[in-house]
Amino acid sequence: DIEAERVRLDKQIEKVAKDMASLDKRLGNANYVNRAPAHVVAETQEKRDSAHDTLSRLQAARLELEA
């Protein structure tokens, strides 16, 4: 069902966008970046990059449903 898939993708897009915003906020916090161990900051950046890739894939899939 195309409508069910559209709803599912919209929910996933919303969740990933929210997660990405949270990670961006954390990485934008100078106290976090300066005080957290380097490997923790790097891990946070990797999570943010992964979320960005996931968001791009989900948005592309959503656009394909519209076609």
Side-chain angles (χ1 to χ4, degrees), residues 9-55:
L9 285 172
D10 286 344
K11 284 182 183 180
Q12 282 187 306
I13 288 169
E14 184 178 330
K15 181 190 180 309
V16 172
K18 184 178 175 183
D19 292 345
M20 209 167 96
S22 173
L23 292 167
D24 281 339
K25 184 176 178 182
R26 190 177 308 161
L27 289 168
N29 181 342
N31 282 333
Y32 173 78
V33 174
N34 292 330
R35 293 182 181 189
H39 74 279
V40 173
V41 174
E43 185 177 296
T44 303
Q45 283 200 298
E46 287 174 14
K47 286 180 184 178
R48 195 256 177 230
D49 293 344
S50 176
H52 182 268
D53 293 343
T54 300
L55 184 60

